[in-house]
Structure formats: C-alpha cells, structure tokens
Amino acid sequence: MTHSVLHLNKGAEKRLRAGHHWIYNNEVDNQKSPLKGFVPGSVVNAVDFRGKGVGSFMINPHALICGRMISRQQDRDLTSSLIKNRLKQALALRDMCFDAPCYRWVYGDSDGLSGLVVDRFHDILTVQVSTAGMERQLEVILDHLQRLVQPTGILLKNDGKMRTAEGLDTYVRVAAGQVPEQVELTENGVRFLAPLMTGQKTGWFYDHRPNRALAAQYARGKTVLDVFSYLGGWGLTCAMNGATSVTCADVSELALEGVMRNADLNGCADRVQTRLGDAFDTLDQLRLEKQRFDVVIVDPPAFIARRKDIEAGERAYQKLNDMAMKLVNPGGLLVSASCSMHLENDRLRDMIRASARSLDRHALILAEGGQGADHPVLPAVKETRYIKAIFAQISPGL
C-alpha cells in the first residue's frame, strides 16, 4: 500500500529524531501537503524538508497534535500483528513488575500505541481511546485483548476531553462480557472496590502506587489526613500499614461512601473517618478546630490542564501547600502530590520552600516520587511524565 506523504517544515524533524513521537499542526508544510487533504485516522509517511523519511504516523488534520508515531520506518501500518505484538510486550512488562494483574496495561505512546489506555482490574478491563487512528482499529484492539487475557468484561470509557479535540463522539459502554457496578482491585496489598462506569477517569488511579506505598511506611503509628481522597487510595494504604487513625476528605459524597466500603473490605473501618466538602474549606475548618496530623497528604486533580492555566494553577498549588502545612504536627510529614504535567518538579519543590518560609517552618525533603512502572516514561517525551510527589518533614522554624 502506498502512503500519502506529509511534508514537515525545516527543523521540525529535529525533535522527532531526538526521540519525540508527535507532530504538531504548525510543523507541517501546508504548501506541499495541505493538512485538510488527509483523512482523520489514516497513516502517512512523514518526511523532512529535504524529503528524507522520519517515520510512519497516524494523522488527524483537525487536532493540534496532528501526527502520532507508529514507527520510525516508512510504510508501516497500524496492522493487527503490530497491535498484538505491542499489547504482548506491554503485558509482559507489567507482569514482570507486579504480582497481581491490577495495573495500567497500556500507557499510550510509551507502549507504542498512541491514544490507547488499558487498565486491568484482575479479569476486567477498562479501555480508553482518544485518537482517530486508534478508533479505526478499536475492534482489532478488543479482539486481541480478549485473546490475550480472556477477560470476563471490557468497558469502553470513551468520555475524555481528548476525543472531542479529535472529532470523536463520547460514550461509556460495555464492549464485551459483563462489568459489575463495583470492580475489585489490589494495590500495595490493599483491596479496593472501584466504580468503573461512574468513577473518575478509568475508575482508579494506579499512577501514584509507589508514592502511596512510601507514604504508608512513614505513617506507621501516626495520624493521617488524606485530602482529595477519592476512594481512599492513600489513606487506606496507610491504615493497612499501621496508621493509628486516618481522615479522608473529599468533595464527593459518593467517593467517601466508597472510602468506607473499602475500609470495611479491609477490616480497618474503626480507624477511618471521612470529611465531606471542598478541600480548601475543609483544610480551613480543620485549622479553626485546631486539629493537627502527623501525616498530611494532598493529591489534588490537575490544577494545570493546559499551558495557559500555569499561573492560576501554581497559585492554587501554593495555597494548598500553605494550608496543608499548617496542619502538620511538629516533626510530621507533608506529602504534596501532583498529576499536572505542566507543573515542573522544581516548581513544586519551591512551593514547599516558600510555604515553609512564610509559616516559619523548617522543611526537609526526605524523598521525591514519580509514577509507577505501569506508566513508563519516554525520555524524549516529557508529556509521558506527569506524576510527582514530595515527602517533606515539617518542623518549627530554626
């Protein structure tokens, strides 16, 4: 099959040859290859300004990221065999890293399947497709998923914002088998029930797994506050590793009901309580009540969704760290987490410094964490690294 040719502007190939996987629409030579002439989801050969090939790409002329790499070789298609091989490679990596089949099986570009996310909950799979190219191969993907692990149910959670940007419709539906209302998973030895159909994103956030495990080590014999708790991933992991009491705070009543279900499931409900309300209001109310905790964990949603949100988002992160630090007992631990790709590690670290100085505290960073092995990072694609967590001991000022 002969592929159409996508011509790049001079210099656009440098980032790709250095290891990146994406082509932006302003990098295309629209005189030689008008973007509007390409079919969304089709495969093209991209060439530099001299006509030298840089690889095969899925294309969508309507998206900011108009090209997504399939291969660094020309004339490669997103074939059934390629999809199968990359699914198998991704599965082997996860099975090498985790004891239980509960993990992100496919993490988009990092696994050579740009626009595809697959989360595994024992024998249930959640699938998200966010690009036109992957949408065209959805039935092939589903077939291979079923052949590789024989799941009892597959849920398509195709309701993300990226689908709208790609010109795709949004929906949530069961694609195969049966998917119960609550699905069980195991993370760090702790059991959880997650509502895949109605829960946030794919129903669970595996990305902070190693950071939750580290927080639990510090929490033995301690009191813990878990803000933006969702279903209790941080707090209940602490409770099951020896925390004396855990308070989970969230704005969602359904999420907090899930916290207590999960606490009952693990037999630790006697050490877990919940606080319903806006996180900032809750932190302020706890301060007024003069409550303090040995470990305070703040893991907010992405305050910085786009580059234009950086200034306002950083103000929100700074305010959050200020308020959280006030609730840490002398010598206690602040765990400041973020899932905003646009928030740099250095900036989060500097926010801890700024909060400590303004509150006359002495902050010592004990550890910094990233995302788990089921969210592997492509070195040249910084967008694949978005999780960060800082573990800081907070003491009275010197």
Side-chain angles (χ1 to χ4, degrees):
M1 178 180 178
T2 302
H3 290 128
S4 300
V5 177
L6 183 75
H7 293 268
L8 302 181
N9 292 324
K10 186 176 182 179
E13 76 285 353
K14 292 180 181 178
R15 183 172 45 80
L16 296 168
R17 290 191 172 130
H20 212 286
H21 284 209
W22 300 344
I23 297 171
Y24 292 93
N25 56 15
N26 63 355
E27 296 176 320
V28 175
D29 186 335
N30 271 286
Q31 295 297 316
K32 293 182 178 178
S33 53
L35 267 176
K36 63 181 181 181
F38 294 98
V39 177
S42 61
V43 178
V44 301
N45 286 330
V47 300
D48 66 14
F49 72 105
R50 294 191 181 94
K52 186 176 181 180
V54 293
S56 305
F57 291 77
M58 295 179 285
I59 193 165
N60 189 340
H62 308 305
L64 174 64
I65 303 171
C66 66
R68 294 174 179 270
M69 183 175 288
I70 296 172
S71 172
R72 296 195 179 277
Q73 301 175 35
Q74 301 290 87
D75 298 312
R76 292 294 301 274
D77 279 310
L78 197 61
T79 62
S80 176
S81 61
L82 182 146
I83 291 170
K84 177 183 177 181
N85 287 337
R86 292 185 181 175
L87 288 173
K88 288 177 67 176
Q89 290 169 9
L91 182 62
L93 172 63
R94 276 63 176 185
D95 285 343
M96 178 183 73
C97 295
F98 303 105
D99 294 331
C102 299
Y103 41 63
R104 175 148 292 182
W105 175 356
V106 178
Y107 179 48
D109 291 272
S110 294
D111 292 302
L113 294 166
S114 188
L116 178 65
V117 165
V118 180
D119 279 359
R120 188 176 183 185
F121 305 89
H122 293 290
D123 57 356
I124 301 292
L125 302 178
T126 300
V127 177
Q128 280 192 331
V129 172
S130 59
T131 59
M134 282 295 162
E135 182 79 2
R136 291 176 66 161
Q137 301 298 327
L138 181 55
E139 292 306 316
V140 174
I141 292 166
L142 293 173
D143 181 59
H144 286 309
L145 293 176
Q146 292 177 83
R147 290 175 183 273
L148 287 170
V149 299
Q150 296 81 50
T152 58
I154 300 179
L155 178 69
L156 289 175
K157 196 75 182 291
N158 285 336
D159 56 353
K161 295 178 181 178
M162 284 187 64
R163 286 183 64 87
T164 302
E166 288 268 328
L168 303 173
D169 60 339
T170 58
Y171 59 89
V172 176
R173 68 175 175 85
V174 176
Q178 295 183 330
V179 178
E181 185 175 336
Q182 299 285 333
V183 174
E184 186 168 330
L185 66 112
T186 305
E187 182 186 282
N188 295 317
V190 184
R191 298 166 66 195
F192 294 94
L193 292 170
L196 302 192
M197 290 191 190
T198 59
Q200 298 176 22
K201 299 294 180 75
T202 59
W204 183 255
F205 299 95
Y206 283 122
D207 44 18
H208 267 300
R209 182 195 319 243
N211 301 319
R212 290 173 180 145
L214 182 56
Q217 292 180 33
Y218 288 120
R220 291 191 184 96
K222 309 294 185 181
T223 59
V224 176
L225 172 65
D226 175 8
V227 187
F228 303 98
S229 69
Y230 187 40
L231 302 173
W234 293 86
L236 297 187
T237 304
C238 291
M240 292 302 292
N241 283 271
T244 57
S245 72
V246 172
T247 301
C248 290
D250 201 276
V251 72
S252 167
E253 187 172 359
L254 289 175
L256 294 181
E257 289 174 0
V259 168
M260 294 315 300
R261 271 195 302 271
N262 288 327
D264 287 332
L265 183 66
N266 288 280
C268 63
D270 59 324
R271 288 177 285 127
V272 177
Q273 59 182 317
T274 61
R275 299 272 305 220
L276 177 65
D278 172 80
F280 291 96
D281 292 342
T282 297
L283 290 170
D284 194 48
Q285 185 60 39
L286 290 169
R287 179 186 61 82
L288 293 173
E289 294 172 9
K290 300 188 183 304
Q291 294 204 45
R292 300 293 182 270
F293 302 85
D294 300 319
V295 179
V296 176
I297 302 162
V298 286
D299 179 20
F303 287 156
I304 309 174
R306 296 160 296 182
R307 288 189 183 277
K308 69 176 186 177
D309 302 324
I310 288 178
E311 185 176 347
E314 287 190 350
R315 286 198 300 270
Y317 280 112
Q318 187 69 70
K319 180 180 179 181
L320 179 64
N321 280 284
D322 286 350
M323 298 181 76
M325 194 174 288
K326 292 176 182 178
L327 300 182
V328 180
N329 275 327
L333 188 74
L334 171 64
V335 182
S336 181
S338 169
C339 62
S340 291
M341 184 269 292
H342 294 295
L343 179 67
E344 300 290 343
N345 273 59
D346 288 348
R347 288 295 298 125
L348 184 57
R349 193 181 304 116
D350 195 54
M351 289 174 189
I352 301 295
R353 176 204 59 78
S355 293
R357 294 312 310 128
S358 68
L359 298 174
D360 191 25
R361 302 289 200 275
H362 182 60
L364 290 174
I365 293 178
L366 308 183
E368 296 188 22
Q371 55 218 52
D374 52 350
H375 292 69
V377 174
L378 278 170
V381 186
K382 67 177 183 178
E383 292 86 352
T384 60
R385 186 183 189 278
Y386 67 102
I387 287 293
K388 52 198 73 75
I390 293 180
F391 298 76
Q393 186 193 45
I394 308 300
S395 302
L398 297 179

